[in-house]
Amino acid sequence: EVSEMSEKSKQNVAHGLAWSYYIGYLKIVLPRVKKSMEEYSRANPNVLACSETWKLHILVPLSCDIYDDLEKADSNIQYLTDLTETILTRAGIKKRVYKHSLYTIRDKDNKLWHCAVEYATPLQSLYAMSQDECAAFSREDRLEQAKLFYRTLEEILKGSKECAGTYRLIAYEESGEVEPHFLSREILWHLWQQHHEEYAVCEGNHLHAPSTTLNSTELNLQISTSDLPQPLRSDCF
């Protein structure tokens, strides 16, 4: 009965996607990110000068609108290179390749910043579901699920010792106005904050995020504890 209620309210969708994303991808690749960036930094010391940004920056647009090519999303974002590949045999796939792309982000003063960045790919599934009549998934459902996905993923990663200090979640809600450099501005704010985190802690400064950057407090879904997704029955295993 609990499973049926959760399915009807679609709460298990985002919950399942977040766990699948973590178990099937992030838990595999994140522990290797710093090593890959360290290797690249040794060969290119002027590119990744700030070790605070040696993380995978994961974009979480609440609209679930994802570009396959980041350069088309924002001309201030340019592909630079790929980091060292991780090759594993997994689920019957021989030599499966996992890799991350390194990008150059240009700010308003033409200063170049560099980071590994990619979208949270499960959001593509949420978007596709909202476009498919069979899923009976409205835009409102999609927004609530995107918020729940972010909050669930954030909690999972916070509890993961293997992934500590290897990622940066960038959740944002796009404004209604057309801003050609909206995405680069969001990423740059997070890069700037990481550059200055140590200074801010020492001096007691408080950095303020742009209005479109969201945190878990702002993503409060007003869902009661009893309505949260529940684990499926496991007594048959």
mmCIF file of all heavy atoms in Angstrom, residues 113-153:
data_model
loop_
_atom_site.group_PDB
_atom_site.id
_atom_site.type_symbol
_atom_site.label_atom_id
_atom_site.label_comp_id
_atom_site.label_asym_id
_atom_site.label_seq_id
_atom_site.Cartn_x
_atom_site.Cartn_y
_atom_site.Cartn_z
ATOM 1 N N TRP A 113 38.560 31.044 -16.645
ATOM 2 C CA TRP A 113 38.482 30.118 -15.532
ATOM 3 C C TRP A 113 38.314 28.719 -16.115
ATOM 4 O O TRP A 113 37.838 28.561 -17.235
ATOM 5 C CB TRP A 113 37.289 30.441 -14.642
ATOM 6 C CG TRP A 113 37.269 31.832 -14.087
ATOM 7 C CD1 TRP A 113 37.171 33.002 -14.808
ATOM 8 C CD2 TRP A 113 37.333 32.211 -12.714
ATOM 9 N NE1 TRP A 113 37.171 34.082 -13.957
ATOM 10 C CE2 TRP A 113 37.265 33.629 -12.662
ATOM 11 C CE3 TRP A 113 37.431 31.492 -11.520
ATOM 12 C CZ2 TRP A 113 37.293 34.337 -11.471
ATOM 13 C CZ3 TRP A 113 37.456 32.207 -10.334
ATOM 14 C CH2 TRP A 113 37.396 33.602 -10.302
ATOM 15 N N HIS A 114 38.700 27.695 -15.364
ATOM 16 C CA HIS A 114 38.624 26.333 -15.888
ATOM 17 C C HIS A 114 38.003 25.386 -14.863
ATOM 18 O O HIS A 114 38.275 25.504 -13.665
ATOM 19 C CB HIS A 114 40.022 25.824 -16.275
ATOM 20 C CG HIS A 114 40.714 26.690 -17.292
ATOM 21 N ND1 HIS A 114 41.500 27.764 -16.922
ATOM 22 C CD2 HIS A 114 40.718 26.644 -18.646
ATOM 23 C CE1 HIS A 114 41.967 28.346 -18.024
ATOM 24 N NE2 HIS A 114 41.510 27.690 -19.071
ATOM 25 N N CYS A 115 37.186 24.476 -15.360
ATOM 26 C CA CYS A 115 36.595 23.485 -14.453
ATOM 27 C C CYS A 115 36.009 22.327 -15.244
ATOM 28 O O CYS A 115 35.733 22.439 -16.449
ATOM 29 C CB CYS A 115 35.512 24.118 -13.582
ATOM 30 S SG CYS A 115 34.018 24.591 -14.473
ATOM 31 N N ALA A 116 35.832 21.210 -14.551
ATOM 32 C CA ALA A 116 35.119 20.067 -15.109
ATOM 33 C C ALA A 116 33.648 20.261 -14.787
ATOM 34 O O ALA A 116 33.284 20.442 -13.625
ATOM 35 C CB ALA A 116 35.641 18.766 -14.500
ATOM 36 N N VAL A 117 32.808 20.274 -15.798
ATOM 37 C CA VAL A 117 31.387 20.548 -15.574
ATOM 38 C C VAL A 117 30.528 19.695 -16.497
ATOM 39 O O VAL A 117 30.911 19.402 -17.640
ATOM 40 C CB VAL A 117 31.084 22.059 -15.774
ATOM 41 C CG1 VAL A 117 31.451 22.511 -17.178
ATOM 42 C CG2 VAL A 117 29.630 22.381 -15.465
ATOM 43 N N GLU A 118 29.385 19.264 -15.990
ATOM 44 C CA GLU A 118 28.426 18.504 -16.787
ATOM 45 C C GLU A 118 27.064 18.577 -16.115
ATOM 46 O O GLU A 118 26.947 18.909 -14.938
ATOM 47 C CB GLU A 118 28.860 17.043 -16.935
ATOM 48 C CG GLU A 118 28.985 16.307 -15.625
ATOM 49 C CD GLU A 118 29.647 14.934 -15.789
ATOM 50 O OE1 GLU A 118 30.741 14.865 -16.384
ATOM 51 O OE2 GLU A 118 29.057 13.956 -15.303
ATOM 52 N N TYR A 119 26.026 18.285 -16.890
ATOM 53 C CA TYR A 119 24.678 18.250 -16.341
ATOM 54 C C TYR A 119 24.437 16.953 -15.569
ATOM 55 O O TYR A 119 25.100 15.940 -15.828
ATOM 56 C CB TYR A 119 23.646 18.326 -17.456
ATOM 57 C CG TYR A 119 23.470 19.685 -18.094
ATOM 58 C CD1 TYR A 119 24.028 19.969 -19.342
ATOM 59 C CD2 TYR A 119 22.717 20.680 -17.467
ATOM 60 C CE1 TYR A 119 23.849 21.201 -19.945
ATOM 61 C CE2 TYR A 119 22.536 21.919 -18.064
ATOM 62 C CZ TYR A 119 23.097 22.177 -19.300
ATOM 63 O OH TYR A 119 22.922 23.399 -19.896
ATOM 64 N N ALA A 120 23.480 16.998 -14.647
ATOM 65 C CA ALA A 120 22.995 15.780 -13.999
ATOM 66 C C ALA A 120 22.082 15.096 -15.012
ATOM 67 O O ALA A 120 20.948 15.528 -15.232
ATOM 68 C CB ALA A 120 22.230 16.119 -12.724
ATOM 69 N N THR A 121 22.578 14.056 -15.658
ATOM 70 C CA THR A 121 21.861 13.442 -16.787
ATOM 71 C C THR A 121 20.476 12.887 -16.464
ATOM 72 O O THR A 121 19.621 12.865 -17.357
ATOM 73 C CB THR A 121 22.717 12.323 -17.415
ATOM 74 O OG1 THR A 121 23.153 11.431 -16.394
ATOM 75 C CG2 THR A 121 23.931 12.914 -18.117
ATOM 76 N N PRO A 122 20.175 12.444 -15.223
ATOM 77 C CA PRO A 122 18.819 11.940 -14.960
ATOM 78 C C PRO A 122 17.727 12.981 -15.194
ATOM 79 O O PRO A 122 16.555 12.619 -15.380
ATOM 80 C CB PRO A 122 18.873 11.526 -13.484
ATOM 81 C CG PRO A 122 20.298 11.173 -13.253
ATOM 82 C CD PRO A 122 21.064 12.186 -14.066
ATOM 83 N N LEU A 123 18.087 14.259 -15.192
ATOM 84 C CA LEU A 123 17.083 15.290 -15.440
ATOM 85 C C LEU A 123 16.526 15.193 -16.858
ATOM 86 O O LEU A 123 15.402 15.623 -17.122
ATOM 87 C CB LEU A 123 17.685 16.676 -15.208
ATOM 88 C CG LEU A 123 18.097 16.994 -13.763
ATOM 89 C CD1 LEU A 123 18.692 18.394 -13.682
ATOM 90 C CD2 LEU A 123 16.920 16.861 -12.812
ATOM 91 N N GLN A 124 17.307 14.601 -17.766
ATOM 92 C CA GLN A 124 16.800 14.375 -19.122
ATOM 93 C C GLN A 124 15.610 13.430 -19.098
ATOM 94 O O GLN A 124 14.669 13.579 -19.878
ATOM 95 C CB GLN A 124 17.904 13.806 -20.010
ATOM 96 C CG GLN A 124 18.961 14.821 -20.407
ATOM 97 C CD GLN A 124 19.993 14.234 -21.352
ATOM 98 O OE1 GLN A 124 20.502 13.136 -21.121
ATOM 99 N NE2 GLN A 124 20.318 14.952 -22.410
ATOM 100 N N SER A 125 15.657 12.453 -18.186
ATOM 101 C CA SER A 125 14.541 11.508 -18.058
ATOM 102 C C SER A 125 13.295 12.217 -17.547
ATOM 103 O O SER A 125 12.182 11.963 -18.024
ATOM 104 C CB SER A 125 14.920 10.367 -17.105
ATOM 105 O OG SER A 125 16.005 9.631 -17.613
ATOM 106 N N LEU A 126 13.461 13.108 -16.567
ATOM 107 C CA LEU A 126 12.319 13.857 -16.052
ATOM 108 C C LEU A 126 11.701 14.724 -17.141
ATOM 109 O O LEU A 126 10.479 14.820 -17.267
ATOM 110 C CB LEU A 126 12.751 14.735 -14.877
ATOM 111 C CG LEU A 126 13.062 14.019 -13.557
ATOM 112 C CD1 LEU A 126 13.514 15.038 -12.510
ATOM 113 C CD2 LEU A 126 11.848 13.250 -13.050
ATOM 114 N N TYR A 127 12.563 15.348 -17.947
ATOM 115 C CA TYR A 127 12.063 16.192 -19.030
ATOM 116 C C TYR A 127 11.311 15.347 -20.065
ATOM 117 O O TYR A 127 10.216 15.715 -20.509
ATOM 118 C CB TYR A 127 13.204 16.942 -19.702
ATOM 119 C CG TYR A 127 12.737 17.965 -20.715
ATOM 120 C CD1 TYR A 127 12.397 19.250 -20.308
ATOM 121 C CD2 TYR A 127 12.617 17.633 -22.058
ATOM 122 C CE1 TYR A 127 11.946 20.191 -21.228
ATOM 123 C CE2 TYR A 127 12.164 18.560 -22.983
ATOM 124 C CZ TYR A 127 11.824 19.840 -22.562
ATOM 125 O OH TYR A 127 11.369 20.764 -23.478
ATOM 126 N N ALA A 128 11.901 14.200 -20.421
ATOM 127 C CA ALA A 128 11.268 13.320 -21.409
ATOM 128 C C ALA A 128 9.933 12.805 -20.903
ATOM 129 O O ALA A 128 8.965 12.685 -21.669
ATOM 130 C CB ALA A 128 12.201 12.155 -21.735
ATOM 131 N N MET A 129 9.843 12.507 -19.615
ATOM 132 C CA MET A 129 8.582 12.032 -19.039
ATOM 133 C C MET A 129 7.491 13.090 -19.147
ATOM 134 O O MET A 129 6.320 12.772 -19.394
ATOM 135 C CB MET A 129 8.782 11.639 -17.578
ATOM 136 C CG MET A 129 9.545 10.344 -17.385
ATOM 137 S SD MET A 129 9.814 9.966 -15.634
ATOM 138 C CE MET A 129 8.128 9.618 -15.095
ATOM 139 N N SER A 130 7.871 14.357 -18.977
ATOM 140 C CA SER A 130 6.879 15.430 -19.055
ATOM 141 C C SER A 130 6.407 15.672 -20.488
ATOM 142 O O SER A 130 5.399 16.349 -20.712
ATOM 143 C CB SER A 130 7.444 16.727 -18.470
ATOM 144 O OG SER A 130 8.469 17.253 -19.302
ATOM 145 N N GLN A 131 7.142 15.127 -21.465
ATOM 146 C CA GLN A 131 6.773 15.260 -22.873
ATOM 147 C C GLN A 131 6.035 14.036 -23.410
ATOM 148 O O GLN A 131 5.554 14.040 -24.539
ATOM 149 C CB GLN A 131 8.035 15.489 -23.718
ATOM 150 C CG GLN A 131 8.855 16.699 -23.308
ATOM 151 C CD GLN A 131 8.111 17.997 -23.445
ATOM 152 O OE1 GLN A 131 7.572 18.300 -24.510
ATOM 153 N NE2 GLN A 131 8.061 18.772 -22.372
ATOM 154 N N ASP A 132 5.963 12.986 -22.600
ATOM 155 C CA ASP A 132 5.346 11.726 -23.028
ATOM 156 C C ASP A 132 3.985 11.562 -22.368
ATOM 157 O O ASP A 132 3.876 11.520 -21.138
ATOM 158 C CB ASP A 132 6.266 10.558 -22.644
ATOM 159 C CG ASP A 132 5.877 9.266 -23.327
ATOM 160 O OD1 ASP A 132 4.668 8.972 -23.403
ATOM 161 O OD2 ASP A 132 6.777 8.533 -23.780
ATOM 162 N N GLU A 133 2.948 11.432 -23.169
ATOM 163 C CA GLU A 133 1.592 11.317 -22.632
ATOM 164 C C GLU A 133 1.417 10.086 -21.750
ATOM 165 O O GLU A 133 0.653 10.094 -20.795
ATOM 166 C CB GLU A 133 0.576 11.270 -23.785
ATOM 167 C CG GLU A 133 0.478 12.579 -24.565
ATOM 168 C CD GLU A 133 -0.565 12.508 -25.667
ATOM 169 O OE1 GLU A 133 -1.219 11.432 -25.779
ATOM 170 O OE2 GLU A 133 -0.740 13.497 -26.392
ATOM 171 N N CYS A 134 2.138 9.033 -22.073
ATOM 172 C CA CYS A 134 1.996 7.782 -21.315
ATOM 173 C C CYS A 134 2.443 7.946 -19.862
ATOM 174 O O CYS A 134 1.976 7.233 -18.973
ATOM 175 C CB CYS A 134 2.808 6.662 -21.967
ATOM 176 S SG CYS A 134 2.235 6.212 -23.619
ATOM 177 N N ALA A 135 3.368 8.876 -19.614
ATOM 178 C CA ALA A 135 3.898 9.069 -18.260
ATOM 179 C C ALA A 135 2.948 9.869 -17.378
ATOM 180 O O ALA A 135 3.050 9.820 -16.152
ATOM 181 C CB ALA A 135 5.256 9.764 -18.320
ATOM 182 N N ALA A 136 2.003 10.593 -18.000
ATOM 183 C CA ALA A 136 1.060 11.440 -17.253
ATOM 184 C C ALA A 136 1.818 12.313 -16.252
ATOM 185 O O ALA A 136 1.518 12.344 -15.062
ATOM 186 C CB ALA A 136 0.012 10.581 -16.548
ATOM 187 N N PHE A 137 2.805 13.020 -16.774
ATOM 188 C CA PHE A 137 3.743 13.767 -15.945
ATOM 189 C C PHE A 137 3.682 15.234 -16.362
ATOM 190 O O PHE A 137 4.154 15.593 -17.440
ATOM 191 C CB PHE A 137 5.146 13.190 -16.187
ATOM 192 C CG PHE A 137 6.110 13.366 -15.059
ATOM 193 C CD1 PHE A 137 5.967 12.674 -13.870
ATOM 194 C CD2 PHE A 137 7.197 14.218 -15.190
ATOM 195 C CE1 PHE A 137 6.886 12.816 -12.837
ATOM 196 C CE2 PHE A 137 8.123 14.373 -14.170
ATOM 197 C CZ PHE A 137 7.953 13.664 -12.978
ATOM 198 N N SER A 138 3.102 16.089 -15.547
ATOM 199 C CA SER A 138 2.924 17.496 -15.897
ATOM 200 C C SER A 138 4.185 18.313 -15.639
ATOM 201 O O SER A 138 5.142 17.839 -15.024
ATOM 202 C CB SER A 138 1.770 18.092 -15.082
ATOM 203 O OG SER A 138 2.132 18.163 -13.702
ATOM 204 N N ARG A 139 4.176 19.557 -16.096
ATOM 205 C CA ARG A 139 5.301 20.458 -15.842
ATOM 206 C C ARG A 139 5.459 20.707 -14.346
ATOM 207 O O ARG A 139 6.570 20.835 -13.843
ATOM 208 C CB ARG A 139 5.083 21.794 -16.555
ATOM 209 C CG ARG A 139 5.257 21.714 -18.069
ATOM 210 C CD ARG A 139 5.194 23.097 -18.677
ATOM 211 N NE ARG A 139 5.415 23.058 -20.118
ATOM 212 C CZ ARG A 139 5.449 24.143 -20.894
ATOM 213 N NH1 ARG A 139 5.275 25.344 -20.343
ATOM 214 N NH2 ARG A 139 5.654 24.039 -22.189
ATOM 215 N N GLU A 140 4.321 20.791 -13.651
ATOM 216 C CA GLU A 140 4.364 20.987 -12.199
ATOM 217 C C GLU A 140 5.007 19.786 -11.518
ATOM 218 O O GLU A 140 5.820 19.932 -10.591
ATOM 219 C CB GLU A 140 2.960 21.222 -11.644
ATOM 220 C CG GLU A 140 2.319 22.548 -12.048
ATOM 221 C CD GLU A 140 1.866 22.579 -13.498
ATOM 222 O OE1 GLU A 140 1.702 21.483 -14.105
ATOM 223 O OE2 GLU A 140 1.692 23.698 -14.033
ATOM 224 N N ASP A 141 4.644 18.580 -11.995
ATOM 225 C CA ASP A 141 5.257 17.357 -11.465
ATOM 226 C C ASP A 141 6.767 17.381 -11.699
ATOM 227 O O ASP A 141 7.550 17.024 -10.827
ATOM 228 C CB ASP A 141 4.670 16.112 -12.147
ATOM 229 C CG ASP A 141 3.235 15.846 -11.751
ATOM 230 O OD1 ASP A 141 2.845 16.203 -10.625
ATOM 231 O OD2 ASP A 141 2.499 15.275 -12.577
ATOM 232 N N ARG A 142 7.145 17.817 -12.899
ATOM 233 C CA ARG A 142 8.567 17.848 -13.264
ATOM 234 C C ARG A 142 9.356 18.777 -12.346
ATOM 235 O O ARG A 142 10.445 18.433 -11.881
ATOM 236 C CB ARG A 142 8.706 18.300 -14.713
ATOM 237 C CG ARG A 142 10.143 18.240 -15.242
ATOM 238 C CD ARG A 142 10.172 18.687 -16.685
ATOM 239 N NE ARG A 142 9.972 20.113 -16.825
ATOM 240 C CZ ARG A 142 9.621 20.720 -17.967
ATOM 241 N NH1 ARG A 142 9.406 20.004 -19.046
ATOM 242 N NH2 ARG A 142 9.477 22.026 -18.013
ATOM 243 N N LEU A 143 8.817 19.947 -12.067
ATOM 244 C CA LEU A 143 9.494 20.904 -11.198
ATOM 245 C C LEU A 143 9.650 20.345 -9.790
ATOM 246 O O LEU A 143 10.735 20.422 -9.192
ATOM 247 C CB LEU A 143 8.712 22.214 -11.146
ATOM 248 C CG LEU A 143 9.268 23.288 -10.189
ATOM 249 C CD1 LEU A 143 10.687 23.673 -10.566
ATOM 250 C CD2 LEU A 143 8.360 24.513 -10.177
ATOM 251 N N GLU A 144 8.576 19.761 -9.252
ATOM 252 C CA GLU A 144 8.651 19.194 -7.905
ATOM 253 C C GLU A 144 9.630 18.029 -7.848
ATOM 254 O O GLU A 144 10.365 17.863 -6.879
ATOM 255 C CB GLU A 144 7.262 18.740 -7.451
ATOM 256 C CG GLU A 144 6.285 19.895 -7.228
ATOM 257 C CD GLU A 144 6.841 20.938 -6.280
ATOM 258 O OE1 GLU A 144 7.148 20.583 -5.126
ATOM 259 O OE2 GLU A 144 6.973 22.106 -6.679
ATOM 260 N N GLN A 145 9.650 17.217 -8.922
ATOM 261 C CA GLN A 145 10.566 16.084 -8.955
ATOM 262 C C GLN A 145 12.012 16.544 -9.094
ATOM 263 O O GLN A 145 12.926 15.933 -8.539
ATOM 264 C CB GLN A 145 10.192 15.138 -10.098
ATOM 265 C CG GLN A 145 8.905 14.378 -9.880
ATOM 266 C CD GLN A 145 8.960 13.532 -8.617
ATOM 267 O OE1 GLN A 145 9.836 12.694 -8.462
ATOM 268 N NE2 GLN A 145 8.024 13.752 -7.712
ATOM 269 N N ALA A 146 12.239 17.621 -9.853
ATOM 270 C CA ALA A 146 13.596 18.163 -9.991
ATOM 271 C C ALA A 146 14.102 18.648 -8.635
ATOM 272 O O ALA A 146 15.255 18.422 -8.267
ATOM 273 C CB ALA A 146 13.607 19.299 -11.009
ATOM 274 N N LYS A 147 13.238 19.298 -7.863
ATOM 275 C CA LYS A 147 13.614 19.756 -6.524
ATOM 276 C C LYS A 147 13.912 18.566 -5.615
ATOM 277 O O LYS A 147 14.902 18.558 -4.875
ATOM 278 C CB LYS A 147 12.491 20.594 -5.916
ATOM 279 C CG LYS A 147 12.263 21.925 -6.596
ATOM 280 C CD LYS A 147 11.099 22.662 -5.938
ATOM 281 C CE LYS A 147 10.840 24.011 -6.591
ATOM 282 N NZ LYS A 147 9.687 24.713 -5.963
ATOM 283 N N LEU A 148 13.045 17.556 -5.676
ATOM 284 C CA LEU A 148 13.237 16.382 -4.831
ATOM 285 C C LEU A 148 14.494 15.616 -5.230
ATOM 286 O O LEU A 148 15.219 15.096 -4.380
ATOM 287 C CB LEU A 148 12.009 15.467 -4.914
ATOM 288 C CG LEU A 148 12.016 14.220 -4.021
ATOM 289 C CD1 LEU A 148 12.221 14.599 -2.561
ATOM 290 C CD2 LEU A 148 10.729 13.424 -4.192
ATOM 291 N N PHE A 149 14.773 15.567 -6.538
ATOM 292 C CA PHE A 149 15.993 14.925 -7.028
ATOM 293 C C PHE A 149 17.220 15.606 -6.429
ATOM 294 O O PHE A 149 18.135 14.952 -5.922
ATOM 295 C CB PHE A 149 16.039 14.997 -8.555
ATOM 296 C CG PHE A 149 17.351 14.555 -9.153
ATOM 297 C CD1 PHE A 149 17.619 13.215 -9.370
ATOM 298 C CD2 PHE A 149 18.324 15.500 -9.492
ATOM 299 C CE1 PHE A 149 18.844 12.802 -9.913
ATOM 300 C CE2 PHE A 149 19.539 15.099 -10.035
ATOM 301 C CZ PHE A 149 19.790 13.759 -10.243
ATOM 302 N N TYR A 150 17.234 16.933 -6.475
ATOM 303 C CA TYR A 150 18.371 17.680 -5.949
ATOM 304 C C TYR A 150 18.539 17.446 -4.450
ATOM 305 O O TYR A 150 19.648 17.169 -3.978
ATOM 306 C CB TYR A 150 18.189 19.173 -6.224
ATOM 307 C CG TYR A 150 19.208 20.033 -5.517
ATOM 308 C CD1 TYR A 150 20.512 20.136 -5.989
ATOM 309 C CD2 TYR A 150 18.871 20.724 -4.353
ATOM 310 C CE1 TYR A 150 21.459 20.907 -5.331
ATOM 311 C CE2 TYR A 150 19.810 21.490 -3.689
ATOM 312 C CZ TYR A 150 21.100 21.578 -4.180
ATOM 313 O OH TYR A 150 22.030 22.334 -3.514
ATOM 314 N N ARG A 151 17.454 17.552 -3.709
ATOM 315 C CA ARG A 151 17.534 17.399 -2.254
ATOM 316 C C ARG A 151 17.974 15.987 -1.878
ATOM 317 O O ARG A 151 18.773 15.789 -0.960
ATOM 318 C CB ARG A 151 16.186 17.729 -1.609
ATOM 319 C CG ARG A 151 15.873 19.212 -1.625
ATOM 320 C CD ARG A 151 14.436 19.487 -1.168
ATOM 321 N NE ARG A 151 14.206 18.999 0.181
ATOM 322 C CZ ARG A 151 14.498 19.691 1.287
ATOM 323 N NH1 ARG A 151 15.056 20.889 1.184
ATOM 324 N NH2 ARG A 151 14.232 19.197 2.477
ATOM 325 N N THR A 152 17.456 14.987 -2.596
ATOM 326 C CA THR A 152 17.833 13.598 -2.319
ATOM 327 C C THR A 152 19.292 13.355 -2.653
ATOM 328 O O THR A 152 20.034 12.760 -1.861
ATOM 329 C CB THR A 152 16.951 12.624 -3.134
ATOM 330 O OG1 THR A 152 15.574 12.873 -2.852
ATOM 331 C CG2 THR A 152 17.281 11.178 -2.789
ATOM 332 N N LEU A 153 19.733 13.840 -3.821
ATOM 333 C CA LEU A 153 21.124 13.660 -4.234
ATOM 334 C C LEU A 153 22.065 14.371 -3.266
ATOM 335 O O LEU A 153 23.118 13.831 -2.912
ATOM 336 C CB LEU A 153 21.314 14.195 -5.651
ATOM 337 C CG LEU A 153 22.707 14.024 -6.258
ATOM 338 C CD1 LEU A 153 23.071 12.542 -6.368
ATOM 339 C CD2 LEU A 153 22.790 14.696 -7.621
#
